[in-house]
Amino acid sequence: MVKSQSVKFSEKPLKVSTLGIDQRMLFGQGGAYVKEIELEFPVKIVTRGDEIQIYGDGEEPQKVKELFEDMIQHLASGGMVTEQTLQYAIKMVKGNDALSASQADDRILLTNRRIAIKPRSNGQKKYIDAIYANDLVFSIGPAGTGKTYLAVACAVRFLKERRIDRIVLVRPAVEADEKLGFLPGDMKEKVDPYLRPLYDALYDMLPHGQVERYIVSGVIEIAPLAFMRGRTLNNSFIILDEAQNSTVRQMKMFLTRLGINSKTVVNGDITQIDLDDKNMSGLISAQNILKGISGIKFTYLSEKDVVRHPLVQEIIVAYDKWERKEED
């Protein structure tokens, strides 16, 4: 955070309407968020009634205007502004990978709490555009970049719009070879812990009872990768999560399940491979084997696309530096 700066006031401020918005949530306790924004940008912010006035020079007032507009949109869609979301929004507005307010309006759908699910970086926007435009999309990037969550959101949207008949969510269950026998319980109890992130995303986007009904009826299927062998999946939106832990043979088996009028998204983080031989990762090999095939798109996310706690981005960068040092 920078220190307080000397601001040259423009004659006419940029204005943002706060009509219908809880200003206490927008401005923070005692106007704490407003003061924090003034420390981050060389502007002066004046709040009068249902209006925010932003004084300053150059592009800075416009950046702050976009920042407030994004926060207001977030509140209007049922979200909350916290210190964490404020810091993330500031970082996005300042960075080159930030989306403009118009770009960020690419809403996929609303969560159960009426919060808009949408891409929040250029990397995520390219990822979503790739899903809409291609039948097979690979998304490779670190934890916290929204790979799984955004893919599930697209799948739910496609289902609601009746563009598909079912959603199939797949994940390597136990490390690479899925040896489930030693775990207690029936097969569902054995694999559920490994598929929990997929359940969590679904429960965030659909009513709990509806998710359960869809699972019982087969509209939503959640299964370990080994269960895909021998199948053909038509009219489906298929997601393979944690694909870095699939072998080359498993990846080939999975990709050849793609049927008519179906879409497949493959997600993974090649820095977190649990296979004994990392070179056997199906996700790594697919980049070379499938390169240049029309209808297949590879997208890459980075620490700049992290949407979890701001510390996650710093953790990813720190580990990348450490791993490069170890390799040298």
Side-chain angles (χ1 to χ4, degrees), residues 43-80:
V43 299
K44 177 64 178 177
I45 301 169
V46 178
T47 59
R48 291 178 177 169
D50 292 324
E51 186 177 81
I52 302 169
Q53 298 179 355
I54 307 163
Y55 295 86
D57 271 350
E59 299 178 353
E60 301 305 308
Q62 180 61 36
K63 291 181 179 179
V64 174
K65 182 175 184 289
E66 291 178 6
L67 175 63
F68 274 115
E69 287 174 341
D70 283 344
M71 292 165 63
I72 288 169
Q73 184 181 30
H74 184 58
L75 287 170
S77 63
M80 295 180 63

Side-chain angles (χ1 to χ4, degrees), residues 66 94 105 128 152 158 164 167 199 236 248 273 279 281:
E66 291 178 6
K94 281 188 169 184
D105 198 29
I128 298 304
V152 173
F158 274 47
I164 55 165
I167 298 172
Y199 282 106
S236 303
V248 177
I273 298 172
N279 293 322
S281 170

Side-chain angles (χ1 to χ4, degrees), residues 107-108 127-134 154 157-158 163 263:
R107 187 172 69 188
I108 302 170
Y127 175 36
I128 298 304
D129 288 346
I131 291 176
Y132 290 153
N134 299 273
C154 288
R157 175 174 177 171
F158 274 47
R163 296 166 66 177
K263 190 177 291 286

Side-chain angles (χ1 to χ4, degrees), residues 177-189:
D177 54 2
E178 306 179 28
K179 295 177 181 177
L180 304 176
F182 70 95
L183 294 173
D186 60 21
M187 185 57 66
K188 184 177 186 300
E189 292 171 329

Side-chain angles (χ1 to χ4, degrees), residues 25-42:
M25 296 184 68
L26 179 63
F27 299 149
Q29 187 174 1
Y33 295 160
V34 174
K35 296 172 186 175
E36 193 160 346
I37 293 170
E38 287 181 327
L39 287 172
E40 294 283 354
F41 298 90

Side-chain angles (χ1 to χ4, degrees), residues 44-211:
K44 177 64 178 177
I45 301 169
V46 178
T47 59
R48 291 178 177 169
D50 292 324
E51 186 177 81
I52 302 169
Q53 298 179 355
I54 307 163
Y55 295 86
D57 271 350
E59 299 178 353
E60 301 305 308
Q62 180 61 36
K63 291 181 179 179
V64 174
K65 182 175 184 289
E66 291 178 6
L67 175 63
F68 274 115
E69 287 174 341
D70 283 344
M71 292 165 63
I72 288 169
Q73 184 181 30
H74 184 58
L75 287 170
S77 63
M80 295 180 63
V81 175
T82 64
E83 176 66 24
Q84 178 181 332
T85 55
L86 174 63
Q87 284 300 319
Y88 177 74
I90 289 172
K91 187 175 293 187
M92 293 300 292
V93 168
K94 281 188 169 184
N96 293 330
D97 286 329
L99 289 172
S100 66
S102 60
Q103 286 177 304
D105 198 29
D106 242 341
R107 187 172 69 188
I108 302 170
L109 77 163
L110 294 175
T111 68
N112 294 329
R113 294 175 293 163
R114 311 300 294 173
I115 298 174
I117 301 174
K118 59 185 180 181
R120 297 188 178 277
S121 71
N122 277 327
Q124 290 188 348
K125 178 69 164 59
K126 291 176 182 177
Y127 175 36
I128 298 304
D129 288 346
I131 291 176
Y132 290 153
N134 299 273
D135 287 338
L136 175 56
V137 175
F138 289 81
S139 178
I140 300 173
T145 49
K147 301 184 299 296
T148 301
Y149 195 79
L150 291 175
V152 173
C154 288
V156 171
R157 175 174 177 171
F158 274 47
L159 184 65
K160 287 185 173 182
E161 293 175 351
R162 298 186 178 180
R163 296 166 66 177
I164 55 165
D165 295 332
R166 59 177 170 171
I167 298 172
V168 182
L169 306 174
V170 185
R171 186 170 176 157
V174 181
E175 296 185 342
D177 54 2
E178 306 179 28
K179 295 177 181 177
L180 304 176
F182 70 95
L183 294 173
D186 60 21
M187 185 57 66
K188 184 177 186 300
E189 292 171 329
K190 289 178 180 182
V191 297
D192 272 2
Y194 301 97
L195 306 175
R196 181 49 54 189
L198 299 172
Y199 282 106
D200 290 343
L202 287 171
Y203 289 137
D204 202 23
M205 300 170 198
L206 294 168
H208 191 284
Q210 188 175 24
V211 172

